[in-house]
Amino acid sequence: MGCGGELAGLISLFFSRHQGGQILRVSTALSCLLGLPLRVQKIRAGRSTPGLRPQHLSGLEMIRDLCDGQLEGAEIGSTEITFTPEKIKGGVHTADTKTAGSVCLLMQVSMPCVLFAACPSELRLKGGTNAEMAPQIDYTAMVFKPIVEKFGFTFNCDIKMRGYYPKGGGEVIVRMSPVKQLSPINLTDRGCVTKIYGRAFVAGVLPFKVAKDMAAAAVRCIRKEIRDLYVNIQPVQEPKDQAFGNGNGIIIIAETSTGCLFAGSSLGKRGVNADKVGIEAAEMLLANLRHGGAVDEYLQDQLIIFMALASGISRIKTGPVTLHTQTAIHFAEQLAKAKFTVKKSEDEEDASKDAYIIECQGIGMTNPNL
């Protein structure tokens, strides 16, 4: 799949109502890394508001700036873009969705690229830190960061300001140095759950009682299934100078004896009582613990691009393979020529569970600048 019409046709075929943004993120990141010109058509064509939204546009512009590339057709509502990448450089880059669009999704598209830059990078990402339909910044800091660093790099994630729907206004600064090559990972040994902890937060005008109610409801829900562990969920009032607007939510993490991390999270909405928000997060965590995998449903797709770029064979054990993961694998195979296999887990203890092993022979990408 080189440049031009063949690629465009293929990508447009795979645009579904639910994945427009993700296809853009995976394909433009790989295009930037591999130096492949890219045309993407029929972007979010089936949506009520088709084409690029502000958060997609800011992500595309950021990747263009990271590599001094050329980007055509990039405007709000556009259903077709053409991207021609150049050499990835480091330095300071800013992306601002100017909405509650997720800063975590901006991080997803840019992070693999700056790992192969010529010098250290500082990414100033502005928008929503705790947004619907995207990982919360707490998830990125508490689950994604420690796991993805197993590929052999580190990054610093500084939450300057939290921002919520509908205004956004959050800011996160990510600092990272480039690497020569990524190491493969093996996340197949789940271990047993050793601790459960989290934070239930309120910001703005919402009363602290809401945070306490979310935490208490979540603990009660978890207790029904896991009785022998202390569940430590801290209620938090976000400081006025570190949160823009009003919001509430909760994230709960389960940590295992082998260092695996699982999460459940939920955001408050107008008219939804605090107990319901807490219970939703708890049930999501419990569902992620039942399937026997070593990563949760939101981490699996985020690891695919790093597995594809790493040298050697990476293996992760997951629960049911999500549509986002299938999409990420498809583009990693087509664009990067990485080799993936997905098989039902054959471990005896997984016989009654819906667990899978995703294995990847990575391409062993090396940083030409180091």
Side-chain angles (χ1 to χ4, degrees):
M1 277 176 56
C3 53
E6 178 193 358
L7 179 61
L10 210 107
I11 288 188
S12 60
L13 286 178
F14 282 86
F15 263 91
S16 80
R17 282 191 64 243
H18 302 290
Q19 300 166 271
Q22 196 220 5
I23 290 175
L24 271 179
R25 284 190 296 278
V26 176
S27 58
T28 46
L30 287 170
S31 162
C32 176
L33 283 159
L34 301 163
L36 293 173
L38 180 72
R39 186 196 292 145
V40 190
Q41 295 171 312
K42 298 186 185 173
I43 298 168
R44 299 176 75 256
R47 299 283 182 105
S48 54
T49 50
L52 295 174
R53 305 308 304 144
Q55 67 267 29
H56 306 128
L57 186 58
S58 47
L60 286 170
E61 289 172 342
M62 183 173 211
I63 293 295
R64 174 198 65 197
D65 297 345
L66 284 176
C67 69
D68 276 339
Q70 292 176 320
L71 184 61
E72 293 163 37
E75 51 196 56
I76 305 291
S78 168
T79 56
E80 181 172 336
I81 59 114
T82 307
F83 174 55
T84 311
E86 297 293 337
K87 183 181 171 182
I88 304 171
K89 50 189 183 77
V92 180
H93 298 277
T94 300
D96 186 354
T97 66
K98 300 186 174 62
T99 65
S102 169
V103 296
C104 301
L105 296 181
L106 292 175
M107 204 186 297
Q108 269 183 33
V109 68
S110 54
M111 185 178 283
C113 300
V114 294
L115 279 174
F116 293 89
C119 65
S121 301
E122 178 175 299
L123 308 175
R124 295 175 170 267
L125 311 175
K126 300 179 181 183
T129 56
N130 299 74
E132 286 286 348
M133 308 296 289
Q136 294 192 44
I137 192 63
D138 309 85
Y139 181 92
T140 298
M142 295 163 82
V143 178
F144 173 77
K145 182 183 188 308
I147 301 294
V148 83
E149 286 181 343
K150 292 178 190 290
F151 285 100
F153 67 93
T154 58
F155 69 96
N156 178 276
C157 181
D158 183 8
I159 305 167
K160 291 287 184 201
M161 179 71 75
R162 287 171 177 270
Y164 310 100
Y165 182 82
K167 291 180 181 167
E171 182 178 11
V172 173
I173 297 178
V174 176
R175 296 181 186 89
M176 58 198 299
S177 294
V179 293
K180 181 70 184 168
Q181 200 169 41
L182 295 177
S183 307
I185 60 164
N186 189 332
L187 289 176
T188 53
D189 182 5
R190 149 78 164 266
C192 52
V193 178
T194 53
K195 45 180 160 172
I196 297 177
Y197 52 90
R199 70 193 303 272
F201 67 86
V202 289
V205 300
L206 294 168
F208 187 54
K209 181 181 185 300
V210 170
K212 292 198 281 197
D213 289 350
M214 287 188 295
V219 170
R220 284 195 303 272
C221 181
I222 292 167
R223 279 264 182 278
K224 289 177 189 164
E225 204 156 316
I226 300 173
R227 294 185 181 84
D228 54 347
L229 277 180
Y230 174 60
V231 182
N232 180 16
I233 302 174
Q234 294 288 331
V236 180
Q237 173 80 55
E238 300 287 10
K240 288 268 192 283
D241 60 344
Q242 289 168 34
F244 183 79
N246 307 312
N248 69 295
I250 180 170
I251 179 162
I252 317 164
I253 313 283
E255 199 172 306
T256 77
S257 53
T258 54
C260 295
L261 296 164
F262 300 83
S265 64
S266 183
L267 285 171
K269 297 183 196 66
R270 188 169 297 204
V272 177
N273 78 15
D275 284 23
K276 193 169 176 193
V277 181
I279 289 166
E280 184 174 88
E283 286 181 341
M284 184 188 292
L285 176 67
L286 291 169
N288 271 312
L289 291 174
R290 283 182 207 118
H291 59 52
V295 301
D296 69 29
E297 63 177 314
Y298 298 103
L299 192 61
Q300 48 174 267
D301 70 282
Q302 295 184 64
L303 298 178
I304 297 301
I305 191 167
F306 298 99
M307 292 168 73
L309 296 171
S311 66
I313 294 175
S314 293
R315 300 173 81 229
I316 59 174
K317 187 195 279 189
T318 71
V321 179
T322 66
L323 186 56
H324 269 119
T325 299
Q326 292 168 29
T327 303
I329 288 172
H330 174 80
F331 287 102
E333 288 187 325
Q334 296 289 343
L335 292 167
K337 302 287 186 258
K339 300 273 189 295
F340 282 85
T341 57
V342 181
K343 292 188 183 130
K344 194 102 168 64
S345 172
E346 288 165 5
D347 287 3
E348 282 166 29
E349 71 262 28
D350 295 331
S352 61
K353 294 178 179 168
D354 211 3
Y356 296 82
I357 301 286
I358 300 176
E359 189 172 289
C360 173
Q361 174 69 58
I363 62 170
M365 173 134 181
T366 52
N367 191 332
N369 307 297
L370 297 183

